[in-house]
Amino acid sequence: MQYTSPIREPLVLQGKTYADVTEDICRQVEAAPNPRWLGAMFLSLLALGWGSYTLYRTWWYGIGEWGLNKTVGWAWDITNFVWWVGIGHAGTLISAILLLFRQKWRTSINRAAEAMTIFAVLCAGSFILMHMGRPWLAHWALPLPNTYGSLWVNFNSPLVWDVFAISTYLTVSIVFWYMGLIPDLATIRERAKNPIARFIYGAMSFAWNGSAKTWARYEMVALVLAGLSTPLVLSVHTIVSFDFATSVIPGWHTTIFPPYFVAGAIFSGFAMVLTLMLITRHVYKLQAYITLEHIESMNKIILLTGSIVGIAYLTEFFIAWYSGVEYESYCFINRAFGPYWWAYWSMMTCNVISPQFFWFRSMRRNIYVTFALSIVVNIGMWFERFVIIVTSLHRDYVPSSWTMFWPTYVDVGDYIFSFGFFFTCFFLFAKFLPVINIAEVKAILKSSSAPSVIEKEEKVKAGVKLTPSYNPKSE
Amino acid sequence: MASATHYSVEHENLNFVFKSELRKRLIMAMAIGVILILLGCILLMMGIGVADAHHGAGHGTGHHGGGGAEGSGHGFHWTKRLWANLWLNGVFFTGIAVIGVFFVAVQYVAHAGWSSAIKRIPEAFGYFLPITGGLLLILFFIAGHDLFHWTHSSLYEKGGKEFDKILYGKSGFFFFPLKPGSFPFFYVLRMIIFFGGWYFLFMQIRKLSLKEDLETDFNTYLKRPVIYNKLVYISTVFVVFFAISSSVSAWDWIMSIDSHWFSTMFGWYVFSSWHVTGLATIALAVILLKEQGYLKVVNENHLHDLGKFMFAFSIFWTYIWFSQFLLIYYANIPEEAIYFKERLSGHGGLYAPVFFLNIFFNFFFPFLILMTRASKRNVSILKIAIGFILVGHYLDFFMMVMPGTVGANGGFGLIEAGCLLLFASAFIYVVASNLAKAPLIAKNHPFIKESEYHVVL
Amino acid sequence: MTKHEETHKFLVGIFNDEDILIGAIKKLQAAGVKLHDAYTPYPVHHLDEYLGFKRSRLSKAAFLFGATGAILAATFQSYVMGIDWPMIIGGKDFIAPPSFVPVTFEFAVLCASLGMVATFLVSNGLLPWKKAVMFDPRSTDDKFVLAINLADNKKIEEAKIVELLKANGAEEVNTKEIKKK
């Protein structure tokens, strides 16, 4: 018997039944695209189109089109890469870590968050291809047998670790996401009236029939995948941080980088999930499934990870002074008061100060504040990566080579490309696949739903013994 | 699911009795601990087990640039090993005690239900804080110079022979607002604030928790769980305070032993070590109480969760350990790498075995032992894993404290065994006597029923 | 597939709620009825245990896949960096174990995940070109379906089973012919 304390807030409102859940979520998949969706898709494609032009320039003329110079060899490309990878942490975190922690509120948001993760990791990968300059040689990053005899990749290089980490993460995330989709695709298949849709969703649903034996194994697979994905998701940003921290560049070589990057990644990922979910919730009218309780829980995680990131900033600053290493100390002073002071203070304001609003319950449950802060947080996290990368590089050990980095329109255009790509993918997902995990929401319905009085009476008539899990407050 | 018997909270035997037999045994153990320490001291006084008694200086690898064998300016005196051991155990057991409080606080902040039936056990750990706090404070005054290289005033005399520019640069962290090399006011103040803050917040949590027991009608209380809400509030305050204080205390009490060495990860490293040790201690206490016939509500599902926690945070510790090690190993900057060099090959390789045991005990064994579902639900296997974790993390702290204090004169002898025995039995004594003072189950915890019906898939 | 396709006849009980389904399963089992399987819109915890299915060994498979991946990755890196083309990098040993940890870990996770999922899909016949065996399409929506193979229950009359199903909360009882595997 499952017991849920009556003081817990319900996670599904308006007394939804199982059939309602199916209907509410499948409706979006089955209906014709609405004008708002078409408009949004048009804007995304526009961004993608413009970005494709600058991407063409990047690849045709080379990365000289960017604002890089001989001192600053990594700037917007790697900033954007790390930013997108970071955003791509929330999905698997929500599905895996929250599954292990038995947080039921994950069920309404995990699907979209995982999809978001996959698209964000693809965007991140696109910057790796871009900054190679010669993407047709991308396979050189893999340990493949080659015509130069046995010249392999260097397994001591964090960049090679990155290749493994990002590709593993992308693969496992796609598998995890798709496994979750299979039962829902079967639901859509059984509802489909159009034979083409029935065929496509039929093939995509892998002959799923929801038998108890399959479900039991499926749950085992989900649990083990969660167990594997949890260290995986931590390892990805850890290895991204190794790209910097294994070097001997002041401001990069610091041991706190791995967990601090991971916290930052979760922070920005949750913010992006909130941005997208608040829009989806509004457009698809999912208020019964994505409740204020969900939003509040996510805001708490933003507050937690934002504060961890804040502590890490202070730790770095403190140890730079404590260590007595003058290069390290200078680097941090230069960050805060050097020519890129505005980037540093934008980062501090957006990442450390703005989430502190979420100490107040009223703020955590305010949709407008949440939406605004979710965007502010991602601006801050972009600046964080910019600060780490550019301010550490632009003043190196040789003062005569000190310089500044300014982006060109191609830098900006390539960034816009990733936005176009991301939103195009996300809107396609939101149209053709169920944005909420139907099966998982049904699974928590009994313990975490606030039923209507009518439904309750019907249940009593039908002889169902009402468990105390219903929340009396909601009636 | 079909568990053999379901125990309900209402039928629980609520009161733990601290039997005089156990009391006697613990006092005996403490006495044996003291005797072992005394014997060890006598042996050391006679020069047995001292590596370089005749040289008068505890030089390790001979490298003095970084953290190696600092504080050796005064030569090795046998008391140093005693102080180092007391300090080591003081910090180690402070960790276990404060993690008990932290665990309870985290459960409140996270609105966790499953753990409400066992929360009284970690709650009792907090009572050990004033003891270790007082001890560390006194010890700092007695043995500060033996343990902490940076306390020597000659290092801060400008133009002096021993003037140390690096230490002078960060002297404010220790001596503020006083003159560098005088009384470490800021350092001592922090120690008082940390222990004071932890204990104060712990007392608030404890008081409210006991007050909740007095509620007469559970259902009425659930409609307006005022005390519970206050507990969530205080717990949040504790978690925030602990987030900062745990890192800074790690810098103060351990990192500053190796006065020149630094690592931004260090605070979180110590936290991760403390945390998993605390979790193992909680699990051990729960198992022992269950074996005595208490905590009937607690079944293999709760143990499973505790096992999961130990498993997960053993991996977390490994993650932090590896990240710190790899970055220092890879970059190979002398002032950082000295720390691991000293432990791997310094002092005639004295600490190298411990270095590897540390990884085996704290990663491989818990990882392999606790991986399967069945092992997390089996009391005997859990105990084996707990044993490895507790011993392993003692060794972890041993690795942090000993090379920088006693250096080549370290080792595991009578003093070490005695100190460990003394602290462990004192800890059990304090926890047991406080467990007996309140019901073992917080019967009015709003989530107590969730804990009672808790099932892990 | 045999040339002479035969079918099995199933009784299909439709339920409204997971608890009623579990209650019915217990009652039917007590009456000696052998159950085929149950079909639910979401995973009902412990339903497999009530139906007498063994606990899945997929986690063990995952461990074996992961261990294989870890050994392969560690061996390959040591071979490449230490034997096939040794190079001094950063003053480290040719075989520098700490540097090999990240790739070893990633590859182990990759093998464990893909291996386990592939095993799961294949062993449960979940493949894109297969056609789903549905006893009632509503089991993917809001109904809980219990299937009973009459061939497994030759000793008990069909009508008796129908009666048992209805008496224990089935709101409908249908029959369905399914091709033999």
Side-chain angles (χ1 to χ4, degrees):
Chain A
M1 171 185 155
Q2 234 192 342
Y3 182 93
T4 305
S5 170
I7 73 162
R8 290 207 192 274
E9 283 201 41
L11 294 172
V12 182
L13 302 176
Q14 303 170 8
K16 296 286 184 188
T17 62
Y18 296 128
D20 290 339
V21 178
T22 315
E23 179 61 30
D24 288 346
I25 295 159
C26 291
R27 193 190 302 130
Q28 306 302 336
V29 180
E30 291 156 356
N34 70 31
R36 274 196 285 191
W37 182 84
L38 287 171
M41 195 68 191
F42 175 73
L43 286 178
S44 309
L45 287 172
L46 211 61
L48 187 64
W50 164 246
S52 299
Y53 168 69
T54 57
L55 185 59
Y56 145 75
R57 290 197 66 99
T58 311
W59 278 343
W60 192 255
Y61 297 105
I63 53 172
E65 289 285 289
W66 290 346
L68 301 178
N69 51 52
K70 75 178 171 57
T71 308
V72 184
W74 272 0
W76 273 46
D77 48 351
I78 303 299
T79 302
N80 295 338
F81 161 72
V82 181
W83 189 71
W84 277 117
V85 179
I87 288 172
H89 271 55
T92 310
L93 178 105
I94 290 171
S95 339
I97 300 185
L98 297 187
L99 184 140
L100 295 183
F101 278 108
R102 293 191 292 265
Q103 297 296 310
K104 287 178 182 170
W105 55 273
R106 77 175 191 281
T107 54
S108 297
I109 51 168
N110 57 5
R111 169 70 44 74
E114 283 175 56
M116 188 277 297
T117 284
I118 292 165
F119 308 141
V121 175
L122 288 172
C123 286
S126 77
F127 282 99
I128 292 302
L129 292 178
M130 280 181 213
H131 98 311
M132 285 179 169
R134 296 176 198 163
W136 49 93
L137 298 179
H139 61 281
W140 284 11
L142 302 172
L144 298 171
N146 55 67
T147 53
Y148 301 99
S150 43
L151 182 62
W152 302 98
V153 294
N154 173 13
F155 281 106
N156 289 299
S157 164
L159 301 181
V160 168
W161 306 343
D162 236 356
V163 171
F164 279 84
I166 304 281
S167 52
T168 300
Y169 183 56
L170 181 63
T171 314
V172 175
S173 297
I174 290 174
V175 167
F176 205 171
W177 177 67
Y178 201 80
M179 287 294 292
L181 267 171
I182 291 175
D184 289 1
L185 290 169
T187 302
I188 297 173
R189 173 195 72 208
E190 293 305 321
R191 289 166 57 95
K193 296 186 180 79
N194 170 344
I196 299 169
R198 202 177 163 84
F199 174 77
I200 293 172
Y201 286 112
M204 283 167 72
S205 63
F206 286 19
W208 178 270
N209 66 359
S211 94
K213 192 185 265 176
T214 318
W215 270 125
R217 291 174 178 172
Y218 173 90
E219 284 217 285
M220 171 72 89
V221 169
L223 193 66
V224 177
L225 269 183
L228 288 167
S229 302
T230 301
L232 176 65
V233 76
L234 299 189
S235 81
V236 174
H237 229 59
T238 295
I239 291 175
V240 169
S241 83
F242 286 167
D243 292 347
F244 304 102
T246 50
S247 70
V248 288
I249 293 177
W252 284 11
H253 176 68
T254 169
T255 48
I256 208 171
F257 255 33
Y260 142 58
F261 262 51
V262 171
I266 296 166
F267 181 53
S268 65
F270 263 83
M272 186 58 104
V273 171
L274 270 173
T275 311
L276 295 175
M277 289 317 275
L278 287 175
I279 299 172
T280 313
R281 173 184 192 259
H282 176 73
V283 174
Y284 286 175
K285 300 187 178 56
L286 296 172
Q287 285 85 346
Y289 302 100
I290 301 166
T291 65
L292 287 180
E293 173 71 7
H294 289 86
I295 293 166
E296 187 180 4
S297 299
M298 286 199 270
N299 282 334
K300 281 180 183 168
I301 293 196
I302 288 190
L303 173 61
L304 171 73
T305 49
S307 303
I308 292 177
V309 168
I311 288 183
Y313 290 159
L314 298 180
T315 304
E316 276 191 318
F317 231 97
F318 168 73
I319 298 283
W321 168 78
Y322 177 88
S323 70
V325 180
E326 53 186 320
Y327 304 103
E328 200 73 29
S329 313
Y330 175 74
C331 174
F332 280 89
I333 299 214
N334 183 44
R335 275 184 190 179
F337 306 108
Y340 284 113
W341 62 270
W342 44 271
Y344 182 83
W345 292 106
S346 306
M347 158 187 117
M348 274 298 194
T349 319
C350 297
N351 288 352
V352 183
I353 298 167
S354 77
Q356 306 305 324
F357 283 108
F358 287 144
W359 283 112
F360 304 100
R361 183 178 152 91
S362 57
M363 295 281 140
R364 291 197 297 264
R365 297 177 81 91
N366 182 319
I367 290 172
Y368 301 101
V369 172
T370 303
F371 187 71
L373 283 185
S374 74
I375 291 170
V376 165
V377 163
N378 265 319
I379 295 173
M381 284 310 289
W382 190 89
F383 274 114
E384 181 199 294
R385 278 63 178 257
F386 182 79
V387 164
I388 290 172
I389 293 169
V390 175
T391 62
S392 282
L393 289 178
H394 87 120
R395 288 188 168 175
D396 60 8
Y397 291 109
V398 189
S400 63
S401 63
W402 285 9
T403 181
M404 295 289 283
F405 166 84
W406 298 109
T408 64
Y409 81 96
V410 180
D411 275 303
V412 181
D414 286 346
Y415 189 36
I416 291 174
F417 168 85
S418 66
F419 272 104
F421 181 77
F422 179 79
F423 281 105
T424 306
C425 289
F426 191 80
F427 289 134
L428 283 174
F429 155 75
K431 175 63 202 76
F432 293 105
L433 293 170
V435 289
I436 286 182
N437 192 325
I438 304 174
E440 287 201 354
V441 169
K442 283 177 188 166
I444 63 153
L445 207 57
K446 231 181 158 177
S447 62
S448 307
S449 163
S452 62
V453 179
I454 301 163
E455 190 200 348
K456 207 168 170 181
E457 276 174 4
E458 273 175 3
K459 286 215 164 190
V460 174
K461 260 186 229 160
V464 183
K465 209 180 138 214
L466 287 174
T467 54
S469 56
Y470 291 117
N471 190 327
K473 265 202 305 194
S474 60
E475 280 162 31
Chain B
M1 181 48 232
S3 77
T5 344
H6 177 82
Y7 286 98
S8 131
V9 172
E10 287 82 16
H11 302 128
E12 184 69 54
N13 174 15
L14 289 173
N15 289 308
F16 171 72
V17 185
F18 189 20
K19 292 198 188 94
S20 58
E21 191 194 350
L22 177 62
R23 197 183 294 259
K24 266 184 220 155
R25 272 195 206 162
L26 286 170
I27 292 172
M28 277 287 284
M30 282 188 253
I32 294 171
V34 173
I35 293 167
L36 285 177
I37 295 171
L38 289 176
L39 279 175
C41 290
I42 293 167
L43 286 180
L44 277 181
M45 268 189 262
M46 289 157 57
I48 299 169
V50 179
D52 52 356
H54 306 294
H55 303 290
H59 287 224
T61 49
H63 186 111
H64 277 264
E70 279 170 339
S72 55
H74 294 261
F76 182 75
H77 191 256
W78 65 268
T79 46
K80 202 175 205 181
R81 183 145 161 192
L82 176 64
W83 305 142
N85 267 294
L86 290 174
W87 189 265
L88 159 66
N89 283 286
V91 172
F92 185 60
F93 281 89
T94 298
I96 298 177
V98 77
I99 290 300
V101 188
F102 178 71
F103 182 85
V104 174
V106 166
Q107 305 306 307
Y108 277 110
V109 174
H111 300 280
W114 71 274
S115 57
S116 47
I118 58 158
K119 76 151 202 157
R120 278 285 150 82
I121 288 100
E123 209 175 88
F125 289 8
Y127 283 106
F128 204 59
L129 280 173
I131 296 170
T132 52
L135 178 95
L136 290 186
L137 198 61
I138 295 167
L139 205 55
F140 181 76
F141 282 107
I142 299 177
H145 288 317
D146 283 335
L147 297 171
F148 297 98
H149 176 62
W150 58 263
T151 51
H152 298 283
S153 53
S154 60
L155 299 167
Y156 306 95
E157 283 161 19
K158 274 195 177 165
K161 200 167 61 172
E162 288 181 50
F163 178 70
D164 190 321
K165 204 178 138 207
I166 303 266
L167 292 184
Y168 187 80
K170 58 182 162 192
S171 56
F173 183 57
F174 306 116
F175 298 102
F176 176 83
L178 306 175
K179 199 168 92 39
S182 58
F183 177 69
F185 180 79
F186 196 24
Y187 179 93
V188 172
L189 179 72
R190 276 199 302 272
M191 193 185 249
I192 294 169
I193 290 175
F194 294 158
F195 274 105
W198 293 341
Y199 192 67
F200 173 76
L201 291 168
F202 160 66
M203 285 317 288
Q204 303 302 310
I205 291 175
R206 178 72 171 174
K207 259 188 227 155
L208 284 167
S209 168
L210 296 183
K211 202 172 151 201
E212 197 180 46
D213 278 357
L214 303 177
E215 291 286 336
T216 44
D217 188 53
F218 187 54
N219 289 324
T220 329
Y221 174 61
L222 279 188
K223 294 208 174 84
R224 254 186 100 242
V226 187
I227 299 175
Y228 174 77
N229 292 338
K230 267 191 205 158
L231 272 163
V232 173
Y233 180 79
I234 293 282
S235 298
T236 315
V237 175
F238 179 83
V239 169
V240 172
F241 179 66
F242 187 66
I244 298 159
S245 54
S246 65
S247 274
V248 182
S249 61
W251 303 336
D252 276 357
W253 304 342
I254 307 177
M255 197 166 84
S256 79
I257 290 175
D258 298 293
S259 302
H260 290 96
W261 186 73
F262 56 91
S263 166
T264 38
M265 183 81 106
F266 200 77
W268 293 357
Y269 176 69
V270 170
F271 163 74
S272 71
S273 196
W274 270 358
H275 192 218
V276 72
T277 316
L279 290 171
T281 315
I282 295 167
L284 184 65
V286 170
I287 291 173
L288 292 178
L289 282 168
K290 248 196 102 53
E291 284 178 345
Q292 304 269 315
Y294 299 103
L295 293 178
K296 289 214 170 59
V297 167
V298 176
N299 53 39
E300 69 274 13
N301 291 300
H302 303 84
L303 295 180
H304 189 166
D305 273 343
L306 285 168
K308 276 182 183 174
F309 260 140
M310 288 192 286
F311 178 72
F313 282 96
S314 287
I315 296 174
F316 179 73
W317 173 87
T318 314
Y319 165 65
I320 299 286
W321 180 89
F322 177 73
S323 300
Q324 179 171 272
F325 176 77
L326 180 83
L327 291 175
I328 290 174
Y329 157 87
Y330 198 105
N332 208 12
I333 297 174
E335 56 262 41
E336 289 180 359
I338 181 69
Y339 184 80
F340 288 113
K341 191 147 179 57
E342 184 184 3
R343 278 151 183 80
L344 272 167
S345 57
H347 308 302
L350 183 65
Y351 294 97
V354 188
F355 184 89
F356 292 105
L357 276 182
N358 189 12
I359 304 164
F360 276 94
F361 276 33
N362 294 330
F363 174 61
F364 287 107
F365 292 145
F367 179 74
L368 293 172
I369 295 171
L370 291 174
M371 186 146 44
T372 67
R373 171 189 157 91
S375 63
K376 289 189 278 272
R377 300 170 80 88
N378 180 316
V379 173
S380 320
I381 298 178
L382 272 179
K383 276 189 191 162
I384 296 172
I386 291 168
F388 278 120
I389 292 175
L390 292 181
V391 174
H393 285 280
Y394 170 78
L395 292 179
D396 191 16
F397 278 90
F398 188 85
M399 285 293 289
M400 294 185 224
V401 172
M402 289 303 179
T405 48
V406 294
N409 297 300
F412 195 87
L414 292 178
I415 295 191
E416 281 74 15
C419 278
L420 197 53
L421 186 63
L422 174 66
F423 272 80
S425 35
F427 178 78
I428 298 171
Y429 190 94
V430 170
V431 170
S433 59
N434 283 293
L435 271 181
K437 285 180 191 156
L440 269 185
I441 301 253
K443 65 178 190 335
N444 286 327
H445 192 298
F447 295 140
I448 195 74
K449 281 271 162 190
E450 284 189 9
S451 192
E452 181 184 322
Y453 289 101
H454 179 55
V455 172
V456 180
L457 292 173
Chain C
M1 286 273 169
T2 51
K3 274 185 188 171
H4 312 285
E5 285 185 344
E6 287 179 75
T7 56
H8 276 312
K9 193 179 171 197
F10 285 83
L11 280 179
V12 182
I14 314 275
F15 296 83
N16 240 339
D17 184 277
E18 59 175 287
D19 292 337
I20 305 177
L21 172 71
I22 290 172
I25 288 173
K26 285 181 186 163
K27 288 274 168 55
L28 275 121
Q29 280 171 336
V33 179
K34 209 166 165 291
L35 306 172
H36 175 66
D37 207 337
Y39 300 85
T40 56
Y42 59 85
V44 175
H45 297 323
H46 309 300
L47 188 57
D48 55 317
E49 291 165 37
Y50 290 117
L51 287 165
F53 299 135
K54 273 192 216 138
R55 196 173 169 84
S56 165
R57 287 167 301 171
L58 277 163
S59 54
K60 290 187 182 102
F63 176 75
L64 292 178
F65 281 117
T68 313
I71 292 167
L72 277 178
T75 320
F76 182 69
Q77 292 178 85
S78 308
Y79 166 73
V80 164
M81 302 303 293
I83 297 163
D84 198 35
W85 193 301
M87 269 192 285
I88 295 173
I89 288 156
K92 303 289 187 292
D93 297 338
F94 291 136
I95 295 175
S99 297
F100 297 163
V101 169
V103 171
T104 307
F105 168 78
E106 298 297 331
F107 198 66
V109 168
L110 185 69
C111 290
S113 319
L114 293 185
M116 175 184 59
V117 169
T119 313
F120 164 71
L121 292 177
V122 171
S123 67
N124 285 280
L126 294 172
L127 296 161
W129 54 87
K130 285 215 172 175
K131 202 174 168 335
V133 179
M134 294 299 293
F135 286 88
D136 192 301
R138 289 170 295 172
S139 73
T140 62
D141 180 12
D142 62 341
K143 299 295 179 206
F144 301 78
V145 169
L146 184 62
I148 297 161
N149 190 346
L150 288 175
D152 292 339
N153 292 289
K154 287 182 178 136
K155 287 179 189 160
I156 309 172
E157 278 174 49
E158 188 182 331
K160 174 90 166 84
I161 302 176
V162 174
E163 196 185 303
L164 270 170
L165 278 169
K166 291 218 160 145
N168 287 299
E171 57 173 23
E172 276 178 44
V173 180
N174 307 323
T175 57
K176 179 118 183 160
E177 305 264 331
I178 300 274
K179 274 183 205 157
K180 270 188 184 174
K181 280 227 175 100

